[in-house]
Amino acid sequence: MSDKKLATVAVRTGIESDTQFNAVVPPIYLTSTYGFSQLGEVPQFDYSRSGNPTRNTLAEALAELEGGAGAVVTNCGTAAINLLVSALLGPEDLVVAPHDCYGGTYRLFDTRAGKGDFQVVFVDQTDPAALAEALARNPKLVWVETPSNPLLRVVDLAVLCADARQAGALVAVDNTFLSPILQQPIALGADFVVHSTTKYINGHSDVLGGVLIAKTPEQAETLSWWANCIGATGAPFDAYLTLRGLRTLAPRMRLHEENSAKILDYLQSQPLVGQIYHPSQPEHPGHAIALKQQQGFGAMLSFEIAGSQAQLAAFVRQLQCFSLAESLGGTESLICHPASMTHRAMSDEAQAEAGIKPSLLRLSVGLEDADDLIADLAQAFAKAAEVTE
Ligand SMILES: *Cc1c(COP(=O)(O)O)cnc(C)c1O
């Protein structure tokens, strides 16, 4: 592993590696197959499902950014999650997952457990008693998402990883919301890190991708074998675009955070804003842990509208710089209504239990000028205030 800072690794991995023309930027290899120089001599690359130079460069950069020994780049974040449970778990093995994990992760774990592929228990990982009870069942894997979606709950990774290790369990962290620039779970004791690179790592809302990073070379080797076996690896063109996005990850994260901090300041003074959910808020239950384990508070934030559903609808309709859409982490700002969008598959009871109210809105703060974003919020709040239903 190099001693370079994260921004440098993101920018320079693979630069000047071309041996044919000395291209500064590594070329893209779209080939599916590679020639053997002669019978019996297996080349470094033989078929792009098992290995591809463009995808390998991205994997190398992401493994280094997360402090892992190796990585598998997959066709989406969900494929990376599926790869890990496929490689690791058998019918007798238990995975402990957060009750408020990403909807697709919940569906994957729940459905595959229902088929008997492995066992799953969903718990509130911020509740020490519930977590201890789950760990007492000797799980093989603990799945963690911190900060969580959409309420930005924070789990103490160092404590959880130590407890899991004592229980003989491996820990995988979905680090999508912060990126390696703001949090490195392996340094805090995790065995695996997963990203939906669709989000901040690619950062331009134009590629679906994922990555699974392993702490040890042996685990990385096993995961590569499984990725080839089940066909989970990503396309070279997607890897090329994602590497291009990765080059600017560090400055983008800084600006995402800066804009989000300004918006949070602004929201404090708004009469139509109820509770705000963001780890930067001193009253947020995860504030102290976030200060300890994150290198920033992140740019995703949620808040409740202190008004009617008609006012909420008017507010969302009026916005011009926030697109009403799922997903996150792109250059453009997005607004999402979790109850009817990202979390609509959950029953009303499950939403209530997870604390997702119909009044909740989630922002993915983008890279527009913060003054324009705030002016846009202000005009939308003004219009919403006129609604009397
Ligand atoms: C989007 C997302 C995923 C799934 O990734 P895809 O690339 O959509 O398959 C997993 N975890 C989190 C936290 C996400 O935001």
Side-chain angles (χ1 to χ4, degrees):
M1 212 181 304
S2 86
D3 54 357
K4 297 283 191 296
K5 306 262 196 245
L6 298 177
T8 310
V9 173
V11 169
R12 292 216 60 97
T13 303
I15 294 289
E16 267 190 70
S17 60
D18 175 41
T19 48
Q20 181 148 29
F21 298 113
N22 217 13
V24 169
V25 171
I28 175 172
Y29 290 92
L30 291 171
T31 188
S32 59
T33 191
Y34 308 79
F36 284 55
S37 59
Q38 55 179 311
L39 269 182
E41 255 183 47
V42 181
Q44 182 187 358
F45 295 103
D46 63 347
Y47 188 59
S48 277
R49 173 164 27 78
S50 50
N52 172 276
T54 309
R55 196 172 63 227
N56 278 19
T57 305
L58 176 62
E60 188 192 323
L62 293 173
E64 188 163 350
L65 287 170
E66 287 287 4
V72 180
V73 168
T74 55
N75 50 59
C76 64
T78 306
I81 300 166
N82 196 36
L83 169 61
L84 183 65
V85 294
S86 302
L88 217 60
L89 304 176
E92 304 305 318
D93 295 324
L94 175 69
V95 50
V96 174
H99 70 148
D100 55 350
C101 63
Y102 177 74
T105 307
Y106 186 95
R107 179 177 54 203
L108 175 70
F109 288 176
D110 192 48
T111 309
R112 289 198 61 173
K115 280 180 67 214
D117 294 344
F118 49 83
Q119 297 169 37
V120 67
V121 57
F122 296 98
V123 300
D124 178 356
Q125 294 180 344
T126 61
D127 174 353
L131 186 60
E133 195 179 314
L135 290 178
R137 294 175 57 187
N138 292 322
K140 179 92 177 257
L141 178 68
V142 180
W143 186 265
V144 190
E145 260 181 66
T146 178
S148 74
N149 179 24
L151 296 177
L152 292 311
R153 294 194 179 101
V154 177
V155 173
D156 191 321
L157 283 175
V159 169
L160 181 135
C161 291
D163 290 352
R165 172 144 306 127
Q166 274 217 317
L170 295 162
V171 177
V173 178
D174 183 332
N175 203 22
T176 300
F177 264 43
L178 289 178
S179 92
I181 302 300
L182 300 183
Q183 178 167 269
Q184 295 105 38
I186 289 175
L188 298 166
D191 301 281
F192 305 99
V193 174
V194 166
H195 286 278
S196 168
T197 58
T198 312
K199 315 296 167 52
Y200 285 109
I201 288 178
N202 176 62
H204 294 72
S205 304
D206 55 4
V207 192
L208 230 65
V211 69
L212 172 56
I213 297 143
K215 179 162 95 176
T216 71
E218 298 75 31
Q219 281 158 344
E221 185 66 37
T222 302
L223 294 174
S224 287
W225 187 92
W226 272 97
N228 183 48
C229 175
I230 66 176
T233 49
F237 196 76
D238 294 353
Y240 178 83
L241 283 176
T242 304
L243 188 61
R244 191 185 217 260
L246 179 70
R247 300 304 189 195
T248 55
L249 179 63
R252 277 191 287 112
M253 289 313 289
R254 270 202 302 279
L255 190 52
H256 278 296
E257 279 208 299
E258 215 175 281
N259 280 355
S260 144
K262 287 179 185 164
I263 286 174
L264 282 161
D265 267 356
Y266 166 77
L267 291 176
Q268 311 285 342
S269 63
Q270 291 312 300
L272 270 177
V273 173
Q275 185 159 357
I276 297 175
Y277 300 88
H278 193 256
S280 67
Q281 309 295 291
E283 64 279 6
H284 187 283
H287 178 70
I289 305 166
L291 266 178
K292 184 180 71 164
Q293 74 186 12
Q294 302 176 193
Q295 284 83 60
F297 291 114
M300 293 301 298
L301 67 96
S302 296
F303 64 95
E304 277 158 22
I305 289 281
S308 65
Q309 281 296 303
Q311 286 181 310
L312 181 147
F315 172 73
V316 168
R317 195 167 49 240
Q318 281 300 318
L319 288 168
Q320 278 151 23
C321 292
F322 291 82
S323 305
L324 180 64
E326 296 178 357
S327 197
L328 59 119
T331 52
E332 73 294 338
S333 291
L334 303 177
I335 187 163
C336 161
H337 180 240
S340 68
M341 294 171 67
T342 47
H343 292 67
R344 67 175 176 268
M346 288 168 82
S347 66
D348 291 352
E349 298 75 45
Q351 285 192 2
E353 193 174 326
I356 300 165
K357 298 180 190 166
S359 54
L360 189 75
L361 291 171
R362 186 191 79 178
L363 299 186
S364 171
V365 178
L367 304 184
E368 301 90 342
D369 190 289
D371 291 343
D372 287 335
L373 292 176
I374 289 169
D376 192 36
L377 293 168
Q379 63 81 24
F381 278 129
K383 278 282 180 351
E386 290 169 10
V387 173
T388 51
E389 297 162 53

